Amino acid sequence: MQNRSIIIDCDPGQDDAIGLLLAMSSPDELDILGVTTVAGNVPLELTERNARLMCDIAGRADVPVYAGCAIPMQRDLLTAENVHGKTGIDGIEIVEPEKQLEPKHAVDFIVDTLRSSEGNSVTLVPTGPLTNIGTAIQKDRSILDAVDEIVLMGGAMREGGNSSPSAEFNMLVDPHAADIVFRCGRPITVMSLDVTHQVLATAERRDRIRAIDNRAGQATAGMLDFFNRHDTLKYSSLGAPLHDPCTIAYLLAPQLFEGKQCNLTVETESELTMGHTAVDFWHVTDRPVNVQWMYEVDADGFYALLIDRLGRYRNG
Ligand code: RIB
Ligand code: CA
């Protein structure tokens, strides 16, 4: 497994937070240049606070955290407290993090970091609305030369919409930013609901996580207990889909996933289908391939990886 330099752009939310804990558990494989935060599941002042709290829990004071865009590029902000709770990470005790926020704006951090990076050397890992990434590309398109791959959570085809009949949350919040990203020309791997709905946090899996005797394991179990209540009712399922950690799991163990090259185009005009990800899965158009669309995951292997990596933390 080669060492990747990554920037995680997120809107914690319990699943983003667990993705951060998974990423920070693996310093030998993932060199986290920075964590950038964006408004999404909850407003920006909470997503940045929540990201900093995960750095405390992970004992990773070395990972810089930046606050980014507080509203989408063109639309009003849509949040999801009904799913994540008022704090965004309900399920654990919320304290003011020791980790301090970096003064630089997240978009400036992304632009400055990519401008000073070698070609094809940085992987972007967005797990929230794409406002920061789209804004950075709009600010200076040349930064894309440094982007090796974008591995993002968002969209849906077979699973339909979770935030409108047609759209997944991250795409619906900022479809205009998403459109910029999907047209950027760099390799993009998409972890959509079609994949994340296969990795359910069942009671058995949550019990195994609860048995992990460290702060990261206990925080993950607590967040999952809360995160589970909404989606198990919504989907009549045995557990909530653990969306965002799929991006990190792909970086650590790509063999767990299966996908194919497709065209993905985002709806940015129709209010009825705003944010819909139109995936040409069967290549019925001549639209150019622009994503690796993941559609299969070894769910048991995913949770075995998550539990193994969370177990690596040595802080009681
Ligand atoms: O639709 C699920 C996605 O929206 C996840 O990234 C979740 O954290 C929210 O951001
Ligand atoms: Ca998210």
Side-chain angles (χ1 to χ4, degrees), residues 11 13 15-16 41 84 127-129 153 162 168-170 193 243-244:
D11 64 332
D15 56 331
D16 303 75
N41 287 319
H84 298 274
T127 62
M153 192 279 143
N162 64 359
E168 177 277 326
F169 180 80
N170 290 336
L193 299 183
H243 307 289
D244 297 330

